[in-house]
Amino acid sequence: MSHRTASATRARLGRLQYWLAVVFVVGWSGVVCGGLGDQFLAWDYPCPLCMVQRMFMLLAALGGAYIVRKGMTGTIAPSDYATGWGLAVIACVAGGFTAWRQTMLHILPGDPGYGGPVLGLHLYVWAWILFVAAIATVGVVLCFSEETAAQEIPDRPHRATGMLAIGFLALVIAVNLVSVFGEEGFHWFLPDDPQRYQLFYDLHILG
């Protein structure tokens, strides 16, 4: 392998954490989109614990977005990687605990669980699996930080990709916010077992 080829390989490997951050942003946003699809297409009203898990998913995505946004400037300092991944890991730990808590509420034999299963598992079980997998992935990558955390990020195609990823995240956050407001209405608390979009009843559009 020539010196030029080896340098190019090291450069591509060095940007691995940037691309992982992009995957974090798009991936967690996509997972929340899946929950929104189940909510609106299957009329499966999310409970408070479901909403909390979504919020931690979006917080994990924001951790990745922090790194992506720094990369769009062309430079990512080691402290930027640490801040972004720290935020993401905290969100995944908290989200994993929330998903585990909901799983334990329905662990007894004969309990049908909350909502319908997807591919044999309830959404909160999938959430727990994804949170744990995300923590493990970040941990593995951080073990090789010296090789995977480049400080200089080229403008193309990284900037355009980062803008699309962050824009997608912003859209999902906005839709989820509307979803929460629609379900909770003008009330401080969401019922444990929501049965309707309370906002329409508060505004006397329905009921």
Side-chain angles (χ1 to χ4, degrees):
M1 181 182 293
S2 67
H3 177 71
R4 180 177 298 179
T5 302
S7 298
T9 301
R10 284 195 298 270
R12 286 193 294 269
L13 182 62
R15 295 189 285 272
L16 178 62
Q17 285 199 39
Y18 176 86
W19 288 115
L20 178 61
V22 172
V23 170
F24 245 69
V25 175
V26 176
W28 282 122
S29 300
V31 171
V32 175
C33 274
L36 290 168
D38 183 70
Q39 175 181 344
F40 293 124
L41 298 179
W43 292 98
D44 192 0
Y45 298 98
C47 67
L49 283 175
C50 300
M51 288 298 190
V52 171
Q53 288 165 58
R54 286 187 191 178
M55 292 175 185
F56 282 127
M57 289 175 181
L58 294 173
L59 185 60
L62 286 172
Y66 181 87
I67 297 173
V68 172
R69 183 64 187 90
K70 291 293 184 178
M72 289 167 58
T73 66
T75 304
I76 308 179
S79 60
D80 296 329
Y81 283 113
T83 300
W85 291 132
L87 178 61
V89 168
I90 289 173
C92 288
V93 170
F97 175 79
T98 307
W100 171 85
R101 167 63 176 163
Q102 189 169 8
T103 301
M104 291 300 102
L105 290 175
H106 303 286
I107 198 66
L108 293 177
D111 191 319
Y114 186 87
V118 176
L119 299 178
L121 297 175
H122 288 279
L123 293 180
Y124 43 85
V125 180
W126 281 117
W128 180 79
I129 293 172
L130 291 174
F131 280 127
V132 172
I135 294 170
T137 301
V138 172
V140 170
V141 172
L142 289 180
C143 288
F144 302 94
S145 289
E146 185 174 353
E147 296 85 3
T148 61
Q151 297 186 38
E152 300 296 327
I153 304 296
D155 184 66
R156 300 174 62 183
H158 301 77
R159 182 177 176 82
T161 305
M163 290 179 64
L164 289 173
I166 292 176
F168 179 44
L169 172 60
L171 177 62
V172 172
I173 290 175
V175 173
N176 188 66
L177 181 61
V178 172
S179 167
V180 173
F181 185 45
E183 193 174 17
E184 191 168 341
F186 299 107
H187 301 272
W188 286 109
F189 300 104
L190 184 66
D192 291 338
D193 188 12
Q195 298 295 325
R196 62 186 185 180
Y197 289 101
Q198 186 62 41
L199 178 64
F200 296 109
Y201 292 87
D202 292 344
L203 296 176
H204 304 292
I205 297 175
L206 297 174

